[in-house]
Amino acid sequence: MKTSSKDTIYRYAVRGGNSLKGEVEVGGAKNAALAIIAASILTDETVTIENMPDVRDTNVLLDAMAGIGVIIERPDRHTVRINGSMVRNVNIEYELIRRIRASYYLIGALLGKYNEAEVPLPGGCNIGSRPIDQHLKGFRAIGADVKIERGSIIAKAERLTGAHIYMDVVSVGATINILMASCMADGKTIIENAAKEPHVVDVANFLNSMGANIKGAGTDVIRIKGVSSLHGATYSVIPDQIEAGTFMFAAAVTGGDILVKNVIPKHLESITAKLIEVGCRVEEFDDCVRVSRTGKLRNTQIKTLPYPGFPTDMQPQAGVTLSLSEGVSTITESIFENRFRYVDEIMKMGADIKVEGNTAIITGTESLTGANITAPDLRAGAALVLAALAADGVSTIDDIHLIERGYEDFEIKLKGLGAVIEKVTDERSVKKFRMKNAKVS
Ligand code: EPZ
């Protein structure tokens, strides 16, 4: 990915008001790819991963793994070849590892392969406290002694033995980590109250393609029969449900008409249902969905839930859209405790949202006006771009590196749909953008 060079700080300049129309292609799922990259080191043979998204999070994890001896080749932008045979060092101090949350998948992979692992505690993400107690519960259940020392998680086991594990919380990360740690344990592991997200299923399918024996992924009971070893494989990552949903909501909020291609419509059902509720037309095809809106946006109620409920990663995009609907809407965020950070920013654009506890009360307004705003986190940042696209006038959005964590070529794809958006660096280029796009009202 041509990311901003180290010292250049980029921001988006957006002139809102265009209805986005046309076709957009969705890339591989970031949250499946991160786990699959880590799981690739469970074998000493080479693994080829296709439809790999070229986004900051996956690139940082790949760099971090190269830094601990994993051989990484990138024959093209969306294909990665990984060989983890050289990874002997289970004590991972590598600086980059600390920086990304998904590095906690290395614990499950290294423990599953070597019966021991030492990985720095993942950085807390700013959408909530992000505990890992369920991950540790799973590792301990299969026989690992786990302690936290010197800012790292240290897990060691004489041998790993299958266990019956009841998750106290539905956790994507913990479910995936236990899959990786138990796929070569002795005997059977059962995970009750497992996460059912599409990317959990994708990781299970990937591990099975390497010779694992995992059944029930996608339901709340997953059964793993330990195997003696895993072999290399070639695997293609599923399309990104959240990138797809973000473009679907882009059509809704700008009153556009977008054909979102390379998706699995089944994974988008809760998103489709809400878009229809707010007045959009959604047509489903084999591997694409078409979303259009001509009439006014209507209000609705949303509560985020584990899959197949409405995804928490789509909550900011829905909140921004509802700020332009008629009437009062509510959104209840039941997964994370700090996922309304976009509200302060969109209030600068004229939105009327009150947050009470884990519920946002949204009184729809006629329009939003452009403003200088800042991306607070990955999904809130993407949602604020949608708000800028729907607003009257010019907006600038800072800290777009947070958006680039999970969206490949975001501004290029939006431009392809008729958006007026540029990646700019300094005040001078913002001024130039404003001059060029001063909309004759
Ligand atoms: C994954 O995070 C995703 N990240 C998140 O996407 C996504 O929002 C989340 O799943 C829910 O779908 C990746 O896959 C890298 P969880 P994860 O464990 O695994 C609590 C994005 O925007 N919990 O399912 O960290 C936790 O506090 C990111 O792409 C525990 O209590 O989420 C939360 O309330 C943001 N103990 C709930 O469970 C634990 O040990 C769900 O968290 C683990 C989690």
Side-chain angles (χ1 to χ4, degrees):
M1 174 167 82
K2 293 185 292 311
T3 51
S4 18
S5 66
K6 197 157 61 355
D7 46 9
T8 314
I9 306 282
Y10 284 86
R11 53 168 54 147
Y12 288 144
V14 178
R15 199 259 293 143
N18 287 9
S19 300
L20 299 195
K21 294 187 191 310
E23 300 187 354
V24 66
E25 180 91 25
V26 168
K30 164 181 86 84
N31 292 342
L34 287 168
I36 288 169
I37 290 168
S40 301
I41 63 171
L42 278 163
T43 175
D44 282 345
E45 296 181 15
T46 297
V47 167
T48 301
I49 307 167
E50 296 168 343
N51 200 32
M52 169 66 63
D54 181 8
V55 294
R56 195 179 293 273
D57 270 9
T58 46
N59 291 330
V60 168
L61 182 57
L62 287 166
D63 290 350
M65 288 173 67
I68 59 168
V70 178
I71 298 164
I72 307 269
E73 289 165 8
R74 305 195 71 163
D76 68 53
R77 188 178 183 193
H78 298 121
T79 305
V80 178
R81 260 201 290 278
I82 295 176
N83 184 294
S85 57
M86 308 301 286
V87 179
R88 287 283 171 269
N89 162 11
V90 290
N91 166 355
I92 294 175
E93 276 306 308
Y94 195 65
E95 183 39 40
L96 268 182
I97 292 275
R98 287 181 190 289
R99 270 182 37 199
I100 56 162
R101 176 156 186 77
S103 57
Y104 59 26
Y105 286 136
L106 288 173
I107 309 164
L110 291 168
L111 180 65
K113 184 176 185 181
Y114 298 121
N115 287 3
E116 60 175 326
E118 182 173 337
V119 179
L121 272 164
C125 200
N126 46 25
I127 57 174
S129 61
R130 314 301 291 275
I132 54 166
D133 56 302
Q134 298 299 301
H135 299 243
L136 308 189
K137 169 178 178 163
F139 298 149
R140 288 179 176 127
I142 59 174
D145 171 48
V146 184
K147 53 182 187 284
I148 294 181
E149 255 173 31
R150 305 186 306 277
S152 287
I153 297 163
I154 301 162
K156 265 197 183 66
E158 280 310 304
R159 54 200 288 257
L160 294 171
T161 315
H164 199 153
I165 304 166
Y166 289 81
M167 307 302 290
D168 305 314
V169 179
V170 174
S171 161
V172 167
T175 301
I176 290 174
N177 241 339
I178 298 167
L179 282 183
M180 290 195 278
S182 64
C183 62
M184 288 186 282
D186 297 337
K188 269 174 80 170
T189 296
I190 299 175
I191 307 173
E192 304 269 4
N193 204 18
K196 302 185 275 192
E197 270 70 5
H199 37 289
V200 173
V201 177
D202 210 28
V203 176
N205 291 339
F206 169 65
L207 290 169
N208 283 341
S209 76
M210 292 166 77
N213 184 335
I214 300 171
K215 294 193 169 35
T219 74
D220 47 14
V221 182
I222 303 179
R223 297 170 195 286
I224 305 109
K225 245 198 219 138
V227 294
S228 53
S229 67
L230 295 182
H231 51 70
T234 295
Y235 191 81
S236 182
V237 177
I238 52 164
D240 193 310
Q241 168 204 33
I242 305 303
E243 185 190 11
T246 304
F247 283 109
M248 292 166 77
F249 268 87
V253 76
T254 63
D257 183 347
I258 300 178
L259 182 68
V260 184
K261 297 165 72 178
N262 185 29
V263 300
I264 299 173
K266 172 105 189 94
H267 293 166
L268 305 170
E269 285 179 344
S270 63
I271 297 165
T272 297
K274 281 302 164 189
L275 286 168
I276 293 169
E277 275 178 36
V278 300
C280 294
R281 180 181 151 82
V282 183
E283 293 167 271
E284 281 184 8
F285 305 94
D286 283 353
D287 61 355
C288 49
V289 288
R290 182 172 173 188
V291 183
S292 57
R293 184 202 26 118
T294 47
K296 277 222 164 288
L297 276 169
R298 293 197 294 267
N299 63 331
T300 188
Q301 284 64 43
I302 292 179
K303 177 171 184 183
T304 63
L305 287 169
Y307 190 80
F310 191 84
T312 174
D313 291 351
M314 285 300 305
Q315 186 264 101
Q317 299 89 318
V320 157
T321 305
L322 291 172
S323 72
L324 281 168
S325 69
E326 291 185 321
V328 178
S329 304
T330 56
I331 294 192
T332 302
E333 172 55 62
S334 73
I335 308 289
F336 289 110
E337 61 269 25
N338 186 20
R339 206 154 201 184
F340 288 121
R341 302 179 69 222
Y342 62 96
V343 171
D344 290 347
E345 294 304 307
I346 196 172
M347 302 277 276
K348 297 172 188 170
M349 305 171 83
D352 180 352
I353 305 181
K354 241 159 72 57
V355 177
E356 287 174 6
N358 66 346
T359 296
I361 300 150
I362 304 165
T363 306
T365 48
E366 258 308 292
S367 62
L368 295 172
T369 52
N372 298 331
I373 51 184
T374 301
D377 60 62
L378 164 55
R379 304 302 176 183
L384 290 168
V385 173
L386 301 192
L389 291 167
D392 298 335
V394 170
S395 300
T396 57
I397 295 140
D398 284 334
D399 288 354
I400 61 170
H401 64 279
L402 292 171
I403 301 172
E404 290 177 333
R405 283 185 47 209
Y407 290 89
E408 181 183 309
D409 295 346
F410 196 40
E411 81 283 355
I412 295 170
K413 292 185 177 182
L414 288 169
K415 250 192 260 191
L417 294 167
V420 179
I421 180 171
E422 294 296 334
K423 213 160 142 174
V424 294
T425 49
D426 53 20
E427 268 319 309
R428 206 170 52 77
S429 37
V430 172
K431 246 195 213 92
K432 232 168 94 206
F433 180 89
R434 286 184 190 281
M435 305 279 283
K436 200 168 92 185
N437 291 293
K439 201 166 179 187
V440 183
S441 43

